[in-house]
Each structure stands twice: as structure tokens, then as C-alpha cells.
Amino acid sequence: MSRVCVVSGKRAMKGNKVSHSNHKTIKRTQPNLQDKRFWLASENRWIRLRLSVSAMREIDKLGLESIVRGLRAGGVKV
């Protein structure tokens, strides 16, 4: 399973770690992804999503139904 948020599309970023002597080393920064189960009341079942914590806050704000509707419109199987 790749490290990509289902809702926001966040993925790993690449950048430089710069030392005191200005020597640059490539590093990767991973998003804060969590495996989470949500109860989808309209279908009377649990759904499992792999999403970032910021996407969890978005679900709290907008509601699970609207997020799932948007995912299905984009072609994601939920």
C-alpha cells in the first residue's frame, strides 16, 4: 500500500537536509497517515480509509457523507 492520503492526495516530499557546513543531503518527509475506520450510516457498514490527520479534520468539518460522495465522483472505490 502506498503512502498516499485517499482524501487530500498528500504524498511524500523530497528536500535537502542542510548541515552547518552547508553540505546538502537529500531527505524524504512522509505525511502523517493513519488507517482509520468510519461508520457510514447511510450504507449501514464500516469503511476503512488511509488518510492524513488533516484529512480527518476535513471529515469532521464537512462530514463523512460529502467526502465519500466526492471520492466516488473521482473514481475511487469506497
Side-chain angles (χ1 to χ4, degrees):
M1 182 181 279
S2 62
R3 294 180 181 168
V4 178
C5 176
V6 176
V7 175
S8 64
K10 285 188 177 190
R11 53 182 61 236
M13 294 190 319
K14 202 162 80 171
N16 287 324
K17 184 163 79 171
V18 181
S19 69
H20 182 68
S21 64
N22 206 23
H23 180 78
K24 293 169 182 70
T25 306
I26 294 175
K27 69 171 188 167
R28 288 173 53 95
T29 304
Q30 298 292 343
N32 187 6
L33 294 182
Q34 308 291 324
D35 290 319
K36 183 88 171 128
R37 282 189 346 154
F38 290 99
W39 177 253
L40 192 57
S42 63
E43 298 178 12
N44 199 23
R45 68 182 183 104
W46 290 97
I47 59 170
R48 187 179 301 271
L49 297 174
R50 184 173 173 96
L51 30 93
S52 62
V53 175
S54 62
M56 285 185 202
R57 294 180 68 221
E58 188 176 339
I59 287 174
D60 287 341
K61 186 176 177 181
L62 301 176
L64 182 61
E65 299 291 333
S66 66
I67 297 294
V68 169
R69 197 176 320 119
L71 286 174
R72 287 183 176 152
V76 178
K77 182 183 175 207
V78 178

